[in-house]
Amino acid sequence: MVFLSKHSPITIPDIGVAELIFENRNNIPDDKPILLDAHSTRVITFGQFKQNVLQFAAGLQDHCDFQPGDVLAICAPNKVDYPVALLGAIAAGGTVSPANPAYTVKELTHQLSLAKAKVILCGQENVQVVLEAAEKCGLKKTNIFVFGEEAVQGVQPYSQVLLFGRRLPAPVKISNPSDQLSYMCFSSGTTGLSKGVMSTHANINSGILQTDTVLAPHMRASKDRILGVIPFFHIFGLVVNVHMSLFWGLPMTVMSKFDLPLFCNVVQTNKISFSCLVPPILVLLAKHPIVDQYDLSSLRTVVSGAAPLSSDLANDVRTRLPHCRVIQGYGLTETSPVVTIGDLNHPVEGSSGILVPNMSVKIVNEEGQEVGTNERGELWCKGPNIMKGYINNPEATADCLDAEGYFHTGDIAIVDEQGNFSIVDRIKELIKYKGFQVPPAELEGILLTSPMVADCAVIGVYDAAQATELPRAYVVLQPATQQSPVVAKELIDYVSTKVVQYKRLRGGIRFVDAVPKSPSGKLLRRVIKDWVKDEEKITRTEAKL
């Protein structure tokens, strides 16, 4: 059975991403502030933004011999002028590969070499890592630039080099938007090194216009203000924060990283009304006492993404911030990024929403059969937003893109009779207990409803004696709760009362100071599994002594 979007089909223009933004469909005046710095008084108007983009593009051409198809890597925290570099390289006909600024030299070298980056723009905080990675890739220092106004370790500020010359009259026209790459984000994956996702101009334009169709009717051009706090190097922040702000013409206040007091202060001071957030931030908004010290009544809409949002957590946020509507979206780097977005008129608890325009999907069970409503299976997606493939990795591309053009997400979904999709887990993360499938996300959602729990993660731990995996929880307690065997038992019993017997936390509970997560908010279960391996090694060593 094929499920189709309830939205009417939309037309995806045959142009480049920068051309779409410069079309200015929403008639944004040049003097309107569009980018604001949360850490200073710096403001960039829409007119200044366009001028800087075209100067940046010309500067790349003149100083770096940047040609259509060349790659600019940006490895920096969020900056107020980060969008200038993004669109500047795109306007020059190039591709941008945003990188995690927390990368090690090895991780960054992997991305730079795979993307074949010709130019790098970094933050002042990570110049040394970038220099070492660039040297390993044979990239010359004169093609490395830094955000800010001062040179760092001989690396010149891009603003002092690339913005002092001519500017292009208009963005370079993209001759084949369905084939030419705009962005190359790297997917985190559950194991091994990350894969470079090739997103075409048509892919990103689709993501922009699909998101616009669902959210634009609820946006107020004269009043709404956006907060950009999730990482711009992640596809969620890149498209739904950066590009939607520029497309709609809504001022976006940019935070370099999440800090709860600053977040609350910016919302209060700048009257933020819309933000893309991730569940770990929503946990703080729901539970942290400092939130009560601020007036967050301007915050009308939150779109949660990058990780599952339980209905209980969404309810907790709405209870504390009754003026705020919290909806969930679902997508991946490979889908540019949206597949579903919640309906702001009729949000459904625990749901990731309905299909965006131009999407068709299948739900396929373990036997490879297409199933219908209220049945579990892997979600397969098809639409103009589906990536071109993984760079230099035809095997991985063939594994997830079939002959019909469906992308096999690896996520397990259920759809109800009204077309609301719920993502219940990932295939590779399901815990197999004596033949039963146990979704860790379900157990995490239950634990987070306990007033004793601040955060948590659940994994399967193999027990040789029983020849099966056992669900184990790693829990961060609220400050008022002390770690103890009694508390651990209370939490185990708490979960047991809410699940069938095979989903119980038979692997026990471990208390930790923090749950490992990516900058986008995804749980890094592989890191926890490494903890288990280290623990097992110690146990084996002690047994030999």
Side-chain angles (χ1 to χ4, degrees), residues 199-256:
S199 301
T200 67
H201 286 264
N203 290 156
I204 299 300
N205 285 343
S206 298
I208 293 170
L209 297 175
Q210 288 166 322
T211 303
D212 177 66
T213 299
V214 180
L215 297 182
H218 306 276
M219 308 306 290
R220 306 165 302 178
S222 61
K223 294 183 178 180
D224 278 319
R225 294 170 176 266
I226 295 175
L227 180 56
V229 61
I230 58 176
F232 293 166
F233 70 80
H234 186 273
I235 193 73
F236 185 30
L238 179 71
V239 175
V240 188
N241 253 167
V242 175
H243 286 74
M244 296 317 303
S245 169
L246 297 172
F247 183 79
W248 286 330
L250 299 180
M252 177 173 67
T253 302
V254 178
M255 288 179 61
S256 62

Side-chain angles (χ1 to χ4, degrees), residues 449-491:
T449 65
S450 167
M452 294 189 292
V453 176
D455 203 358
C456 65
V458 174
I459 65 166
V461 179
Y462 188 75
D463 180 56
Q466 300 183 60
T468 188
E469 287 185 315
L470 303 177
R472 177 188 290 174
Y474 287 76
V475 172
V476 180
L477 292 173
Q478 291 284 6
T481 304
Q482 297 297 314
Q483 299 178 13
S484 72
V486 173
V487 170
K489 185 178 185 304
E490 286 180 7
L491 290 175

Side-chain angles (χ1 to χ4, degrees), residues 2 21 30 60 82 96 113 116 135 193 218 224 229 290 293 302 306 358 369 384 386 389 398 403 407 471 476 525:
V2 176
I21 298 299
D30 278 351
L60 284 177
Y82 196 117
V96 178
S113 59
K116 293 184 171 57
E135 184 178 8
L193 291 170
H218 306 276
D224 278 319
V229 61
I290 199 174
Q293 300 176 20
V302 166
N358 298 34
Q369 298 171 330
I386 303 300
F407 171 67
V476 180
R525 298 185 206 275

Side-chain angles (χ1 to χ4, degrees), residues 248-313:
W248 286 330
L250 299 180
M252 177 173 67
T253 302
V254 178
M255 288 179 61
S256 62
K257 63 180 180 179
F258 179 75
D259 173 82
L260 184 58
L262 178 60
F263 174 94
C264 293
N265 185 61
V266 168
V267 171
Q268 175 179 276
T269 304
N270 290 23
K271 304 299 180 186
I272 299 297
S273 57
F274 175 93
S275 188
C276 295
L277 300 177
V278 292
I281 295 178
L282 292 173
V283 169
L284 293 174
L285 290 179
K287 297 190 174 188
H288 202 288
I290 199 174
V291 173
D292 294 327
Q293 300 176 20
Y294 295 87
D295 177 7
L296 307 185
S297 59
S298 64
L299 188 60
R300 296 189 311 119
T301 305
V302 166
V303 178
S304 177
L309 173 69
S310 70
S311 57
D312 291 313
L313 177 54

Side-chain angles (χ1 to χ4, degrees), residues 105-145:
V105 172
K106 178 182 177 182
E107 291 167 325
L108 183 57
T109 300
H110 168 71
Q111 179 162 340
L112 294 177
S113 59
L114 200 56
K116 293 184 171 57
K118 187 172 186 176
V119 182
I120 308 176
L121 179 56
C122 63
Q124 296 181 347
E125 310 87 341
N126 63 333
V127 168
Q128 184 59 41
V129 169
V130 169
L131 286 172
E132 291 181 30
E135 184 178 8
K136 290 180 180 294
C137 296
L139 202 152
K140 56 186 180 180
K141 191 172 182 178
T142 53
N143 276 17
I144 303 174
F145 301 95

